[in-house]
Amino acid sequence: MTRSPRAGGGPAARSAERAVDLALAELERRFGLGRSLAAPGWVRERVLAVLSSVAARHGVSPLAAAERLHDDREAIEEVVSALRVGETRFYRDPIIWEAIASSVLPRLPPDLPIAGLSAGCSTGEEAYTLGMILSSAGRRFSVLGVDRAAPAIEAAREAVYSAEAADQLPPALLQRYCEQKGGALHVCQKLRDVVSFEVCDLVHAVPSGGFQIIFFKNVLLYLAEPAGDAVARRLAAELGPGGLLFSAASEAPRLCSAGLTPVRVNAQVTAFRAPGS
């Protein structure tokens, strides 16, 4: 296991800690990602691992690699990619999907075309899952997934996944919307036709549109309070009448602090709306 650069030690450990601090400061300057003092240990460990790799390639120390980040676009992209949520799969957090199917969709007018957004979609499993839920309910819909990482968006568009990515997906959805080819899982074309993906840095802009459902999960982990709270408010402002924003349960207190209005969907799930809506 990689040792956290906050773990103490001699000059080498202090140099590593300083390198991570510099890298996180550069990430905040460019992208609004959280500063080092607020970053959890696993974030610091991943940043140090990338800096060590970059340093080895260039024959310098991790601290020197961090000092060069402002001029090294390739290295900064490596750091950002390393900080993407590593765990993503279809139908993650089943209670949210069940709440949407049983409590959210029945409250929306049956003739209303539903627009969904997966903000920070990574490689697309969340966006495709939303498409499956909406299609199964017989609704007309479109789903947009956005992420700042171009490789993640490219993978989402290809729509080819490992079988393990569908471990939590109900068998009926798996059979209806996926095909097994050569040991890999392929999302069917009829779903790909209504789920699209775009590269988008949420710190600088959010998609516009009257969305009925927005997923904004596990993104605030990486955004410092001013930037992350502003992104959450801008996303909530793009909700249409009756629309809801869904987050990870751990992020709910921060969304409340950012001024969003909590809405109890059912006994287990709370979503959010824009302030005053």
Side-chain angles (χ1 to χ4, degrees):
M1 178 180 293
T2 305
R3 188 182 183 191
S4 168
R6 288 278 186 196
R14 290 193 293 273
S15 177
E17 181 175 324
R18 174 61 177 159
V20 173
D21 287 341
L22 287 176
L24 289 170
E26 180 66 15
L27 291 180
E28 183 181 42
R29 184 185 72 81
R30 292 196 186 203
F31 310 118
L33 301 184
R35 289 297 297 272
S36 57
L37 292 179
W42 70 266
V43 168
R44 298 183 64 85
E45 289 175 358
R46 290 192 188 183
V47 170
L48 181 59
V50 174
L51 291 176
S52 298
S53 176
V54 172
R57 287 203 306 266
H58 296 289
V60 299
S61 68
L63 180 57
E67 291 170 342
R68 299 177 180 182
L69 281 178
H70 62 282
D71 293 322
D72 192 339
R73 181 177 180 81
E74 180 181 356
I76 201 74
E77 289 295 335
E78 285 184 53
V79 176
V80 172
S81 294
L83 294 184
R84 291 212 328 268
V85 175
E87 182 187 24
T88 180
R89 59 170 68 94
F90 295 97
Y91 214 76
R92 188 180 182 189
D93 296 329
I95 60 171
I96 293 181
W97 299 112
E98 292 162 7
I100 290 174
S102 64
S103 301
V104 176
L105 296 183
R107 298 174 188 170
L108 295 173
D111 58 345
L112 176 70
I114 295 176
L117 173 66
S118 174
C121 67
S122 188
T123 48
E125 291 92 329
E126 179 179 85
Y128 285 123
T129 300
L130 179 55
M132 294 176 191
I133 297 298
L134 296 174
S135 177
S136 294
R139 304 301 296 253
R140 289 185 296 144
F141 70 94
S142 63
V143 174
L144 172 64
V146 299
D147 198 283
R148 73 165 306 278
I153 292 298
E154 182 178 349
R157 288 171 176 162
E158 288 191 10
V160 179
Y161 302 94
S162 68
E164 289 76 15
D167 282 348
Q168 291 183 292
L169 191 62
L173 296 181
L174 177 63
Q175 182 176 0
R176 183 174 179 181
Y177 297 107
C178 301
E179 302 173 19
Q180 296 279 355
K181 297 179 182 178
L185 196 69
H186 295 243
V187 175
C188 68
Q189 188 62 49
K190 66 180 179 180
L191 195 61
R192 294 173 64 185
D193 288 342
V194 285
V195 180
S196 60
F197 297 93
E198 296 178 4
V199 176
C200 175
D201 188 336
L202 295 170
V203 172
H204 299 297
V206 302
S208 60
F211 296 102
Q212 282 71 50
I213 298 172
I214 294 177
F215 275 84
F216 183 52
K217 295 176 61 183
N218 302 309
V219 178
L220 287 174
L221 280 170
Y222 312 114
L223 298 178
E225 285 191 9
D229 294 359
V231 169
R233 287 190 291 268
R234 290 199 296 269
L235 284 171
E238 297 300 332
L239 288 166
L244 294 172
L245 181 148
F246 292 86
S247 70
S250 61
E251 296 169 315
R254 185 165 167 193
L255 291 178
C256 288
S257 297
L260 273 64
T261 301
V263 178
R264 181 58 65 93
V265 177
N266 62 21
Q268 296 176 294
V269 175
T270 295
F272 293 88
R273 289 183 178 143
S277 64

Coordinates of all heavy atoms in Angstrom, one line a residue, residues 46-124:
R46 N -2.8 9.2 -4.6 CA -2.9 9.1 -6.0 C -2.0 10.2 -6.7 O -1.4 10.0 -7.7 CB -4.3 9.2 -6.5 CG -5.1 7.9 -6.2 CD -6.4 7.9 -6.9 NE -7.3 6.8 -6.4 CZ -8.5 6.5 -6.9 NH1 -8.9 7.2 -8.0 NH2 -9.2 5.5 -6.4
V47 N -2.1 11.4 -6.2 CA -1.4 12.5 -6.7 C 0.1 12.2 -6.6 O 0.9 12.4 -7.6 CB -1.7 13.8 -6.0 CG1 -0.7 14.9 -6.4 CG2 -3.1 14.3 -6.3
L48 N 0.6 11.7 -5.5 CA 2.0 11.4 -5.3 C 2.4 10.3 -6.2 O 3.5 10.4 -6.8 CB 2.3 11.0 -3.8 CG 3.7 10.7 -3.5 CD1 4.6 11.9 -3.8 CD2 3.9 10.3 -2.1
A49 N 1.6 9.3 -6.4 CA 1.9 8.2 -7.3 C 2.2 8.7 -8.8 O 3.1 8.3 -9.4 CB 0.8 7.2 -7.3
V50 N 1.3 9.7 -9.2 CA 1.5 10.2 -10.6 C 2.7 11.1 -10.6 O 3.5 11.0 -11.6 CB 0.3 11.1 -11.0 CG1 0.5 11.8 -12.3 CG2 -1.0 10.2 -11.1
L51 N 3.0 11.9 -9.6 CA 4.2 12.7 -9.6 C 5.4 11.9 -9.6 O 6.4 12.2 -10.3 CB 4.1 13.7 -8.4 CG 3.1 14.8 -8.3 CD1 3.2 15.5 -7.0 CD2 3.3 15.7 -9.5
S52 N 5.4 10.8 -8.9 CA 6.6 9.9 -8.8 C 6.8 9.3 -10.2 O 8.0 9.2 -10.6 CB 6.4 8.8 -7.8 OG 6.2 9.4 -6.5
S53 N 5.7 8.9 -10.9 CA 5.9 8.4 -12.2 C 6.4 9.4 -13.2 O 7.3 9.1 -14.0 CB 4.5 7.8 -12.7 OG 4.6 7.4 -14.1
V54 N 5.9 10.6 -13.2 CA 6.4 11.7 -14.0 C 7.8 12.0 -13.7 O 8.6 12.2 -14.6 CB 5.5 12.9 -13.9 CG1 6.1 14.1 -14.6 CG2 4.1 12.7 -14.3
A55 N 8.1 12.0 -12.5 CA 9.5 12.3 -12.0 C 10.5 11.3 -12.6 O 11.6 11.6 -13.1 CB 9.6 12.4 -10.5
A56 N 10.1 10.0 -12.5 CA 11.0 8.9 -13.0 C 11.2 9.1 -14.5 O 12.3 8.8 -15.0 CB 10.4 7.6 -12.7
R57 N 10.2 9.5 -15.3 CA 10.3 9.6 -16.7 C 11.3 10.7 -17.1 O 12.1 10.6 -18.0 CB 9.0 9.9 -17.4 CG 8.0 8.8 -17.4 CD 7.0 9.0 -18.5 NE 6.3 10.2 -18.4 CZ 5.1 10.4 -17.8 NH1 4.6 9.4 -17.2 NH2 4.5 11.6 -17.8
H58 N 11.3 11.8 -16.3 CA 12.1 12.9 -16.6 C 13.4 13.0 -15.8 O 14.2 13.9 -15.9 CB 11.3 14.2 -16.3 CG 10.2 14.4 -17.3 ND1 10.3 14.6 -18.6 CD2 8.8 14.3 -17.0 CE1 9.1 14.7 -19.2 NE2 8.2 14.5 -18.2
G59 N 13.6 12.0 -14.9 CA 14.9 12.0 -14.1 C 15.0 13.1 -13.1 O 16.1 13.7 -12.9
V60 N 13.8 13.5 -12.5 CA 13.8 14.6 -11.5 C 13.1 14.1 -10.3 O 12.6 12.9 -10.2 CB 13.1 15.8 -12.0 CG1 13.9 16.4 -13.3 CG2 11.7 15.5 -12.4
S61 N 13.0 14.9 -9.2 CA 12.3 14.5 -8.0 C 10.8 14.8 -8.2 O 10.4 15.6 -9.1 CB 12.8 15.3 -6.8 OG 12.5 16.7 -7.0
P62 N 10.0 14.2 -7.4 CA 8.5 14.5 -7.4 C 8.3 16.0 -7.2 O 7.4 16.5 -7.8 CB 7.9 13.6 -6.3 CG 8.9 12.4 -6.3 CD 10.2 13.0 -6.5
L63 N 9.1 16.6 -6.3 CA 8.9 18.0 -6.1 C 9.1 18.8 -7.3 O 8.4 19.8 -7.7 CB 9.8 18.5 -4.9 CG 9.7 20.0 -4.5 CD1 8.3 20.3 -4.2 CD2 10.6 20.3 -3.4
A64 N 10.2 18.5 -8.0 CA 10.5 19.2 -9.3 C 9.4 19.0 -10.3 O 9.1 19.9 -11.1 CB 11.9 18.7 -9.8
A65 N 8.9 17.7 -10.4 CA 7.8 17.4 -11.3 C 6.6 18.3 -11.0 O 5.9 18.8 -11.9 CB 7.5 16.0 -11.2
A66 N 6.3 18.5 -9.7 CA 5.2 19.3 -9.3 C 5.4 20.7 -9.6 O 4.5 21.4 -10.1 CB 4.9 19.1 -7.8
E67 N 6.6 21.2 -9.5 CA 6.9 22.6 -9.8 C 6.8 22.9 -11.3 O 6.5 24.1 -11.7 CB 8.3 23.0 -9.4 CG 8.5 23.0 -7.8 CD 9.9 23.1 -7.4 OE1 10.8 22.8 -8.2 OE2 10.1 23.4 -6.2
R68 N 6.9 21.9 -12.1 CA 6.7 22.0 -13.6 C 5.3 21.8 -14.1 O 5.1 21.9 -15.3 CB 7.7 21.0 -14.3 CG 9.1 21.2 -14.0 CD 9.9 20.1 -14.7 NE 11.4 20.1 -14.4 CZ 12.3 19.3 -14.9 NH1 11.9 18.4 -15.8 NH2 13.5 19.5 -14.6
L69 N 4.4 21.5 -13.3 CA 3.0 21.1 -13.7 C 2.4 22.2 -14.5 O 1.6 21.9 -15.4 CB 2.1 20.7 -12.5 CG 2.3 19.3 -12.0 CD1 1.4 19.1 -10.8 CD2 2.1 18.3 -13.0
H70 N 2.6 23.5 -14.2 CA 2.0 24.6 -14.9 C 2.4 24.6 -16.4 O 1.7 25.2 -17.2 CB 2.2 25.9 -14.2 CG 3.7 26.3 -14.2 ND1 4.6 25.8 -13.3 CD2 4.4 27.2 -15.0 CE1 5.8 26.3 -13.6 NE2 5.7 27.1 -14.6
D71 N 3.5 24.0 -16.7 CA 3.9 23.9 -18.1 C 3.8 22.5 -18.7 O 4.2 22.3 -19.9 CB 5.4 24.4 -18.2 CG 5.5 25.9 -17.9 OD1 4.6 26.6 -18.3 OD2 6.5 26.2 -17.3
D72 N 3.3 21.5 -18.0 CA 3.3 20.2 -18.4 C 1.9 19.7 -18.5 O 1.3 19.1 -17.6 CB 4.1 19.3 -17.4 CG 4.4 17.9 -18.0 OD1 3.6 17.5 -18.9 OD2 5.3 17.2 -17.5
R73 N 1.2 19.9 -19.6 CA -0.2 19.6 -19.8 C -0.4 18.1 -19.7 O -1.4 17.6 -19.1 CB -0.7 20.1 -21.2 CG -2.2 19.8 -21.4 CD -2.7 20.4 -22.7 NE -4.1 20.1 -22.9 CZ -5.1 20.7 -22.4 NH1 -4.8 21.8 -21.6 NH2 -6.3 20.4 -22.6
E74 N 0.5 17.3 -20.3 CA 0.3 15.8 -20.2 C 0.3 15.4 -18.8 O -0.5 14.5 -18.4 CB 1.5 15.2 -21.0 CG 1.4 13.6 -21.0 CD 2.5 13.0 -21.7 OE1 3.4 13.7 -22.3 OE2 2.6 11.7 -21.7
A75 N 1.2 15.9 -17.9 CA 1.3 15.5 -16.5 C 0.1 15.9 -15.8 O -0.5 15.1 -14.9 CB 2.6 16.0 -15.9
I76 N -0.4 17.1 -16.0 CA -1.6 17.6 -15.2 C -2.8 16.7 -15.6 O -3.6 16.4 -14.8 CB -1.8 19.1 -15.5 CG1 -2.7 19.6 -14.3 CG2 -2.5 19.3 -16.8 CD1 -2.0 19.8 -13.0
E77 N -2.9 16.3 -16.9 CA -4.0 15.4 -17.3 C -3.9 14.1 -16.6 O -4.9 13.4 -16.3 CB -4.1 15.3 -18.8 CG -4.5 16.6 -19.5 CD -6.0 16.9 -19.2 OE1 -6.8 16.1 -18.8 OE2 -6.3 18.1 -19.2
E78 N -2.7 13.6 -16.4 CA -2.5 12.3 -15.7 C -3.0 12.4 -14.3 O -3.6 11.5 -13.8 CB -1.0 11.9 -15.7 CG -0.5 11.4 -17.1 CD 1.0 11.0 -16.9 OE1 1.3 10.1 -16.0 OE2 1.8 11.4 -17.7
V79 N -2.7 13.5 -13.6 CA -3.1 13.7 -12.3 C -4.7 13.7 -12.2 O -5.3 13.0 -11.4 CB -2.5 15.0 -11.7 CG1 -3.1 15.2 -10.3 CG2 -1.0 14.9 -11.6
V80 N -5.3 14.5 -13.1 CA -6.7 14.6 -13.1 C -7.4 13.2 -13.4 O -8.4 12.8 -12.7 CB -7.2 15.6 -14.1 CG1 -8.7 15.6 -14.3 CG2 -6.8 17.0 -13.7
S81 N -6.8 12.5 -14.3 CA -7.4 11.2 -14.6 C -7.3 10.2 -13.5 O -8.2 9.4 -13.2 CB -6.7 10.6 -15.9 OG -6.9 11.4 -17.0
A82 N -6.2 10.3 -12.7 CA -6.0 9.5 -11.6 C -7.0 9.8 -10.4 O -7.3 8.9 -9.6 CB -4.6 9.6 -11.0
L83 N -7.5 11.0 -10.4 CA -8.5 11.3 -9.4 C -9.9 11.1 -9.7 O -10.8 11.3 -8.9 CB -8.3 12.8 -9.0 CG -7.0 13.2 -8.4 CD1 -7.0 14.6 -8.0 CD2 -6.7 12.3 -7.2
R84 N -10.2 10.6 -11.0 CA -11.6 10.2 -11.3 C -12.0 9.1 -10.4 O -11.2 8.2 -10.0 CB -11.7 9.7 -12.7 CG -11.5 10.8 -13.7 CD -12.3 10.6 -15.0 NE -12.5 9.2 -15.3 CZ -11.7 8.5 -16.1 NH1 -10.7 9.0 -16.7 NH2 -12.0 7.2 -16.4
V85 N -13.3 9.0 -10.0 CA -13.8 8.0 -9.2 C -13.5 6.6 -9.9 O -13.8 6.4 -11.0 CB -15.3 8.1 -9.0 CG1 -15.9 6.9 -8.3 CG2 -15.6 9.4 -8.3
G86 N -12.8 5.7 -9.2 CA -12.4 4.5 -9.8 C -13.5 3.5 -9.9 O -13.4 2.6 -10.7
E87 N -14.5 3.6 -9.0 CA -15.6 2.6 -9.0 C -16.8 3.1 -9.7 O -17.4 4.1 -9.3 CB -15.9 2.2 -7.6 CG -17.0 1.1 -7.5 CD -17.4 0.8 -6.1 OE1 -17.3 1.7 -5.3 OE2 -17.9 -0.3 -5.9
T88 N -17.2 2.5 -10.8 CA -18.4 2.9 -11.5 C -19.0 1.7 -12.2 O -18.2 0.8 -12.7 CB -18.2 4.0 -12.6 OG1 -19.4 4.3 -13.2 CG2 -17.2 3.6 -13.6
R89 N -20.3 1.5 -12.1 CA -20.9 0.3 -12.6 C -22.4 0.6 -12.9 O -22.9 1.7 -12.5 CB -20.8 -0.9 -11.6 CG -21.4 -0.6 -10.3 CD -21.5 -1.9 -9.5 NE -20.2 -2.4 -9.1 CZ -19.6 -2.1 -8.0 NH1 -20.2 -1.3 -7.1 NH2 -18.4 -2.6 -7.7
F90 N -23.0 -0.2 -13.6 CA -24.4 -0.1 -13.9 C -25.2 -0.3 -12.6 O -24.9 -1.1 -11.8 CB -24.9 -1.1 -14.9 CG -24.3 -0.9 -16.3 CD1 -23.2 -1.7 -16.7 CD2 -24.8 0.0 -17.2 CE1 -22.6 -1.5 -17.9 CE2 -24.2 0.2 -18.4 CZ -23.1 -0.6 -18.8
Y91 N -26.3 0.5 -12.5 CA -27.3 0.3 -11.4 C -26.6 0.5 -10.0 O -27.0 -0.1 -9.0 CB -28.0 -1.0 -11.5 CG -29.4 -1.1 -11.0 CD1 -30.4 -0.5 -11.8 CD2 -29.8 -1.6 -9.8 CE1 -31.7 -0.6 -11.4 CE2 -31.1 -1.7 -9.4 CZ -32.1 -1.1 -10.2 OH -33.4 -1.2 -9.8
R92 N -25.6 1.3 -9.9 CA -25.0 1.5 -8.6 C -25.9 2.3 -7.7 O -26.7 3.2 -8.2 CB -23.7 2.4 -8.8 CG -22.9 2.5 -7.6 CD -21.6 3.3 -7.8 NE -20.8 3.5 -6.6 CZ -19.8 4.3 -6.5 NH1 -19.4 5.0 -7.6 NH2 -19.1 4.3 -5.4
D93 N -26.0 2.0 -6.4 CA -26.9 2.5 -5.5 C -28.4 2.2 -5.9 O -29.2 3.0 -6.3 CB -26.8 4.0 -5.3 CG -25.4 4.4 -4.8 OD1 -24.9 3.6 -4.0 OD2 -24.9 5.5 -5.1
P94 N -28.7 0.9 -5.8 CA -30.1 0.5 -6.3 C -31.2 1.2 -5.7 O -32.2 1.4 -6.4 CB -30.1 -1.0 -5.9 CG -28.7 -1.4 -5.9 CD -27.9 -0.2 -5.4
I95 N -31.1 1.7 -4.5 CA -32.3 2.3 -3.9 C -32.7 3.6 -4.6 O -33.8 4.0 -4.6 CB -32.1 2.6 -2.4 CG1 -30.9 3.5 -2.1 CG2 -31.9 1.3 -1.6 CD1 -30.8 4.0 -0.7
I96 N -31.7 4.3 -5.2 CA -32.0 5.5 -6.0 C -32.7 5.1 -7.2 O -33.7 5.8 -7.6 CB -30.7 6.3 -6.3 CG1 -30.1 6.8 -5.0 CG2 -31.0 7.4 -7.2 CD1 -28.8 7.6 -5.2
W97 N -32.3 4.1 -8.0 CA -32.9 3.7 -9.2 C -34.3 3.2 -8.9 O -35.3 3.5 -9.7 CB -32.1 2.6 -9.9 CG -30.8 3.1 -10.3 CD1 -29.6 2.7 -9.8 CD2 -30.4 4.1 -11.2 NE1 -28.5 3.3 -10.3 CE2 -29.0 4.2 -11.2 CE3 -31.2 4.9 -12.1 CZ2 -28.3 5.1 -12.1 CZ3 -30.5 5.9 -12.9 CH2 -29.1 5.9 -12.9
E98 N -34.5 2.5 -7.8 CA -35.8 2.0 -7.5 C -36.8 3.2 -7.1 O -38.0 3.2 -7.4 CB -35.7 1.0 -6.3 CG -35.0 -0.3 -6.7 CD -34.5 -1.1 -5.6 OE1 -34.8 -0.7 -4.4 OE2 -33.8 -2.1 -5.8
A99 N -36.2 4.2 -6.4 CA -37.0 5.4 -6.1 C -37.4 6.2 -7.3 O -38.6 6.7 -7.4 CB -36.2 6.3 -5.1
I100 N -36.5 6.3 -8.3 CA -36.9 7.0 -9.5 C -38.0 6.2 -10.2 O -39.0 6.8 -10.7 CB -35.7 7.1 -10.4 CG1 -34.7 8.1 -9.8 CG2 -36.1 7.5 -11.9 CD1 -33.4 8.2 -10.6
A101 N -37.9 4.9 -10.3 CA -38.9 4.1 -11.0 C -40.3 4.2 -10.3 O -41.3 4.3 -11.0 CB -38.5 2.7 -11.2
S102 N -40.3 4.1 -9.0 CA -41.5 3.9 -8.3 C -42.1 5.2 -7.7 O -43.3 5.3 -7.6 CB -41.3 3.0 -7.1 OG -40.4 3.5 -6.1
S103 N -41.3 6.2 -7.5 CA -41.8 7.5 -6.9 C -41.6 8.7 -7.7 O -42.4 9.7 -7.5 CB -41.0 7.7 -5.5 OG -41.3 6.6 -4.7
V104 N -40.6 8.8 -8.6 CA -40.4 10.0 -9.4 C -41.1 10.0 -10.7 O -41.9 10.9 -11.0 CB -38.8 10.2 -9.6 CG1 -38.6 11.4 -10.5 CG2 -38.1 10.4 -8.3
L105 N -41.0 9.0 -11.5 CA -41.6 8.9 -12.8 C -43.1 9.0 -12.7 O -43.7 9.7 -13.5 CB -41.1 7.7 -13.6 CG -39.6 7.6 -13.9 CD1 -39.3 6.4 -14.7 CD2 -39.2 8.9 -14.6
P106 N -43.8 8.3 -11.8 CA -45.2 8.4 -11.7 C -45.8 9.8 -11.5 O -46.9 10.1 -11.8 CB -45.6 7.4 -10.6 CG -44.5 6.4 -10.5 CD -43.3 7.3 -10.8
R107 N -44.9 10.7 -10.9 CA -45.4 12.0 -10.6 C -45.2 13.0 -11.8 O -45.7 14.1 -11.7 CB -44.6 12.6 -9.4 CG -44.8 11.8 -8.1 CD -43.9 12.3 -7.0 NE -43.9 11.4 -5.8 CZ -43.1 11.5 -4.8 NH1 -42.2 12.4 -4.8 NH2 -43.2 10.7 -3.8
L108 N -44.5 12.6 -12.8 CA -44.3 13.4 -14.0 C -45.3 13.1 -15.0 O -45.8 12.0 -15.2 CB -42.9 13.1 -14.6 CG -41.7 13.5 -13.7 CD1 -40.4 13.0 -14.3 CD2 -41.6 15.0 -13.4
P109 N -45.8 14.2 -15.7 CA -46.9 14.0 -16.7 C -46.5 12.9 -17.7 O -45.3 12.9 -18.2 CB -47.0 15.3 -17.4 CG -46.5 16.3 -16.3 CD -45.4 15.6 -15.6
P110 N -47.4 12.0 -18.0 CA -47.0 10.8 -18.8 C -46.6 11.2 -20.2 O -45.9 10.4 -20.9 CB -48.3 9.9 -18.8 CG -49.4 10.9 -18.4 CD -48.8 11.9 -17.5
D111 N -47.1 12.3 -20.7 CA -46.7 12.7 -22.1 C -45.5 13.6 -22.1 O -45.2 14.1 -23.2 CB -47.9 13.4 -22.7 CG -48.4 14.7 -22.0 OD1 -48.0 14.8 -20.8 OD2 -49.1 15.5 -22.5
L112 N -44.9 13.9 -21.0 CA -43.7 14.8 -20.9 C -42.5 14.0 -21.3 O -42.1 13.0 -20.7 CB -43.5 15.3 -19.5 CG -42.3 16.1 -19.2 CD1 -42.4 17.5 -19.9 CD2 -42.0 16.3 -17.7
P113 N -41.8 14.5 -22.4 CA -40.5 13.9 -22.7 C -39.5 14.2 -21.6 O -39.3 15.3 -21.2 CB -40.1 14.5 -24.0 CG -41.3 15.1 -24.6 CD -42.2 15.5 -23.4
I114 N -38.8 13.2 -21.1 CA -37.9 13.4 -20.0 C -36.5 13.6 -20.5 O -35.9 12.8 -21.3 CB -38.0 12.2 -19.0 CG1 -39.4 12.1 -18.4 CG2 -36.9 12.3 -17.9 CD1 -39.6 10.9 -17.6
A115 N -35.8 14.6 -20.0 CA -34.4 14.9 -20.2 C -33.6 14.6 -19.0 O -33.9 15.1 -17.9 CB -34.2 16.4 -20.6
G116 N -32.7 13.7 -19.1 CA -31.8 13.3 -18.0 C -30.4 13.8 -18.2 O -29.9 13.9 -19.4
L117 N -29.7 14.1 -17.2 CA -28.3 14.5 -17.2 C -27.4 13.7 -16.2 O -27.8 13.6 -15.0 CB -28.1 16.0 -16.9 CG -26.7 16.5 -16.8 CD1 -26.0 16.4 -18.1 CD2 -26.7 18.0 -16.3
S118 N -26.3 13.1 -16.6 CA -25.4 12.5 -15.7 C -24.1 13.4 -15.7 O -23.4 13.5 -16.7 CB -25.0 11.1 -16.2 OG -23.9 10.6 -15.4
A119 N -24.0 14.2 -14.7 CA -23.0 15.3 -14.6 C -21.8 14.7 -13.9 O -21.8 14.3 -12.7 CB -23.5 16.5 -13.8
G120 N -20.7 14.5 -14.6 CA -19.5 13.8 -14.1 C -19.8 12.3 -14.4 O -19.7 11.5 -13.5
C121 N -20.0 11.9 -15.6 CA -20.5 10.6 -16.0 C -19.5 9.5 -16.0 O -19.8 8.4 -16.2 CB -21.3 10.7 -17.3 SG -20.2 11.0 -18.7
S122 N -18.2 9.9 -16.0 CA -17.1 8.9 -16.1 C -17.3 8.2 -17.4 O -17.5 8.8 -18.4 CB -17.0 8.0 -14.9 OG -15.9 7.2 -14.9
T123 N -17.3 6.8 -17.3 CA -17.3 6.0 -18.6 C -18.7 5.6 -19.0 O -18.9 4.8 -19.8 CB -16.4 4.8 -18.4 OG1 -16.7 4.1 -17.2 CG2 -15.0 5.1 -18.4
G124 N -19.8 6.2 -18.4 CA -21.1 6.2 -19.0 C -22.1 5.2 -18.4 O -23.3 5.2 -18.7

